[in-house]
Amino acid sequence: MDKMKVTYEAMLGLAAEFVLDDAVLKFQTNQIYTAIDKALAAGDEDTFYRLAKQLNALRK
């Protein structure tokens, strides 16, 4: 019974990590999209390209 409990807790922890990783990725992606919108509105080409590069790196 204890072995089953340990396995269950490990799986639960792994699932929690996946949920947290996904939430962080979505947050970072949204932050970059917001910054890209601001860079485009300001006509800041350098910032746009830097942020687009960051966004592409997150997607990999």
Side-chain angles (χ1 to χ4, degrees):
M1 188 70 172
D2 285 333
K3 189 174 186 179
M4 190 173 205
K5 183 179 177 184
V6 170
T7 302
Y8 175 74
E9 289 175 355
M11 294 299 288
L12 197 58
L14 188 58
E17 272 189 67
F18 280 125
V19 170
L20 184 59
D21 287 347
D22 186 55
V24 169
L25 179 62
K26 286 179 182 177
F27 176 78
Q28 289 175 334
T29 301
N30 287 336
Q31 292 292 324
I32 291 174
Y33 274 126
T34 300
I36 285 174
D37 288 343
K38 288 179 183 178
L40 287 172
D44 188 350
E45 191 175 323
D46 292 333
T47 301
F48 168 78
Y49 282 116
R50 181 179 52 80
L51 291 167
K53 188 175 181 179
Q54 285 180 4
L55 185 60
N56 287 333
L58 274 179
R59 290 181 175 174
K60 290 183 181 179

